[in-house]
Amino acid sequence: QRQGAEAIEALQLQFRHNKEELAHWQQFNDAVAEDSFTTGSASTTSKTDLTSVETIEELHFSPAFTEQLQQDANKGYHTNTEELLLSALARALSGTFDQDSHYIVLEGHGREDLSELLPEHPQLDVSGTVGWFTNMYPVQLKYSSDHPREGTENSVESVNIRTKEMLRAVPNKGLGYSA
């Protein structure tokens, strides 16, 4: 237990002093502030009262569709299931709210392989522990590109690639966001 606590403290210290990671999150925060200022989304737009919505939609995937989503659908764009689902969410949010950009918070299980992040603690093994080491971090889903190519910026391919690249640019799968 003590070993784990020391490793977590070392990881937090590493994140706080990682200039590239700090720059990534500062740039993200600046973009959010700029978006809020230019679109007025922070205070001047009207908000839909979702408390009056009485419809609940449920979506259930068959085992065959789930297998296809997890194994076959990823091959075309070299993506993973999370990237494809977030691409679909970007498309759905854009269609529902008539905006191309949405900020959401992702939650990770925190059980990434820490040996790469903490080479000085190679003995750290969380596989024998119970529970999750939840980490939460913000991302921006974009349905349209900032640099549109005529007629293709909203294609399934473009949204999938944009989402994949955005997620893979998040340093350390967001572990250092609130360190």
Side-chain angles (χ1 to χ4, degrees), residues 28 31-36 93 101-105 138-141:
F28 182 87
V32 170
E34 179 67 24
D35 254 9
S36 296
L93 288 171
S101 176
H102 297 273
Y103 295 95
I104 64 169
V105 175
V139 296
Q140 180 185 26
L141 296 180

Side-chain angles (χ1 to χ4, degrees), residues 35-53:
D35 254 9
S36 296
F37 179 74
T38 58
T39 64
S41 62
S43 61
T44 60
T45 59
S46 64
K47 305 259 189 263
T48 303
D49 180 12
L50 295 179
T51 60
S52 64
V53 175

Side-chain angles (χ1 to χ4, degrees), residues 70-125:
Q70 291 177 329
Q71 295 175 5
D72 300 331
N74 299 320
K75 293 176 184 172
Y77 304 107
H78 306 287
T79 58
N80 62 44
T81 305
E82 177 186 34
E83 293 161 348
L84 290 179
L85 290 172
L86 287 171
S87 294
L89 180 61
R91 183 177 292 273
L93 288 171
S94 178
T96 301
F97 297 104
D98 198 27
Q99 291 180 314
D100 287 333
S101 176
H102 297 273
Y103 295 95
I104 64 169
V105 175
L106 294 181
E107 180 177 0
H109 54 68
R111 290 189 166 273
E112 277 70 44
D113 181 8
L114 298 177
S115 62
E116 291 179 25
L117 300 174
L118 291 169
E120 67 277 5
H121 293 278
Q123 72 283 5
L124 183 62
D125 179 14

Side-chain angles (χ1 to χ4, degrees), residues 1 17-18 39 66 70 79 91-92 116 121 131 152 155-156:
Q1 292 175 348
H17 296 290
N18 183 328
T39 64
T66 301
Q70 291 177 329
T79 58
R91 183 177 292 273
E116 291 179 25
H121 293 278
T152 63
S155 69
V156 169

Side-chain angles (χ1 to χ4, degrees), residues 48-69:
T48 303
D49 180 12
L50 295 179
T51 60
S52 64
V53 175
E54 295 181 19
T55 305
I56 296 175
E57 299 291 334
E58 290 187 23
L59 178 63
H60 298 274
F61 295 149
S62 69
F65 182 81
T66 301
E67 182 177 337
Q68 185 180 19
L69 180 63

Side-chain angles (χ1 to χ4, degrees), residues 3 31 35 41 92 110 137 145 157:
Q3 166 195 19
D35 254 9
S41 62
Y137 57 98
S145 174
E157 176 182 16

